[in-house]
Amino acid sequence: MKDNENRRPMPQAEADGIIEGRNAVIEALRAGTAIDKIYLAKGETDKTLGHIASRAREAGVVVVEADRRKLDAMSRTHSHQGVIALAAVREYVSVQSILDAAAAKGEPPLLVVCDEISDPHNLGAILRTAECAGAHGLIIPKRRSAGLTAIVGKTSAGAVSYLPVARVANLTSVLKDLKKQGVWIFGTAAGASTDLYSADLKGPAAIVIGSEGDGMSRLVAENCDFLVSIPMKGHISSLNASAAAAILLYEAVRQRRG
């Protein structure tokens, strides 16, 4: 019975996409498992952890240093050995492949750009709404953002299996490239002079959703073609990020139905 009790956390850890321990993470990298992020113990100079970090970066995996307390809190097995990987529930795609897929359908691209949405439940909810609204893809930054983890997959109610997601190193440069390709960038801002319902979302559009606390970063906001506001009639001046995304996306749906 005691042995079974010791093994009990493992299936749950696997179900949550948590890969713990040096050998397990090395094997996952060797096998080409889709990994969203790897957390390494801060300040460690161990050669094995250094090898894991190098191999992960070569594979394009985000590597984050974390203190032992964070690793202990994340751990389900209590034997993480200074490294925990979070498996991705699907592979990331390129931004260009999303644009190509829209063109193949003969539709003006409708993209959602998440500017540092760190709450996986919010990202999952945005994914779900975007898929339901017929968006062609989602774009997220590599840093300071939730990724395609098991929690995001569950919250998306399966939408993660259908909606392509691109993860990029620099959102600002991606927005500039999208504009060169004829995509209009719409950002949400509380003080914007343009009302959402006055914005033209029928053409190629990327809707930028800012972070839960600070909204869009300055550089991202500066690279938007239009800043739009959602009308607020109550005493509270802001909406949850996923609720804001839903309102903008379905205004785009309404306009595109013509």
Side-chain angles (χ1 to χ4, degrees):
M1 187 68 181
K2 192 172 183 179
D3 186 53
N4 287 339
E5 287 175 359
N6 289 337
R7 293 172 184 269
R8 194 172 295 160
M10 288 301 290
Q12 184 60 50
E14 290 166 5
D16 289 346
I18 298 173
I19 305 168
E20 300 186 42
R22 300 176 185 192
N23 289 338
V25 173
I26 289 170
E27 186 54 40
L29 287 168
R30 185 181 293 125
T33 302
I35 294 176
D36 182 73
K37 197 171 291 185
I38 289 179
Y39 292 88
L40 290 176
K42 188 182 292 184
E44 279 281 358
T45 56
D46 183 277
K47 287 183 179 179
T48 303
L49 293 182
H51 169 70
I52 290 172
S54 298
R55 189 153 188 167
R57 291 188 179 107
E58 286 171 6
V61 176
V62 175
V63 178
V64 179
E65 285 195 345
D67 61 42
R68 285 270 175 180
R69 284 176 298 177
K70 177 164 184 171
L71 291 174
D72 291 342
M74 293 173 64
S75 178
R76 298 297 181 86
T77 64
H78 307 297
S79 57
H80 55 71
Q81 300 175 311
V83 57
I84 294 177
L86 297 183
V89 291
R90 68 168 290 177
E91 298 276 359
Y92 293 99
V93 303
S94 68
V95 175
Q96 190 58 51
S97 71
I98 296 174
L99 295 174
D100 291 345
K105 292 179 179 178
E107 298 172 352
L110 178 59
L111 311 176
V112 180
V113 180
C114 294
D115 184 13
E116 299 183 9
I117 300 293
S118 58
D119 184 335
H121 296 93
N122 267 344
L123 184 61
I126 292 169
L127 259 166
R128 182 176 185 175
T129 302
E131 201 284 326
C132 290
H136 298 98
L138 197 80
I139 300 172
I140 62 174
K142 278 190 173 183
R143 301 286 175 179
R144 296 182 294 280
S145 173
L148 295 184
T149 61
I151 295 173
V152 171
K154 289 173 186 174
T155 310
S156 79
V160 71
S161 299
Y162 301 101
L163 187 74
V165 177
R167 186 162 67 167
V168 301
N170 189 311
L171 274 186
T172 303
S173 63
V174 168
L175 294 181
K176 289 177 179 177
D177 187 56
L178 286 173
K179 289 200 281 187
K180 288 177 184 175
Q181 297 196 57
V183 178
W184 295 97
I185 313 297
F186 295 84
T188 51
S193 57
T194 303
D195 185 288
L196 163 63
Y197 302 115
S198 301
D200 183 355
L201 298 168
K202 293 189 288 290
I207 295 170
V208 183
I209 305 298
S211 68
E212 298 90 345
D214 302 322
M216 289 184 296
S217 63
R218 180 181 59 83
L219 284 175
V220 167
E222 287 175 358
N223 279 279
C224 291
D225 294 302
F226 303 97
L227 295 178
V228 300
S229 61
I230 298 171
M232 297 288 175
K233 301 299 184 183
H235 295 288
I236 299 173
S237 61
S238 65
L239 289 166
N240 172 276
S242 61
I247 291 168
L248 268 80
L249 279 164
Y250 271 91
E251 174 58 17
V253 169
R254 185 192 70 79
Q255 291 186 21
R256 286 167 180 238
R257 291 180 67 178

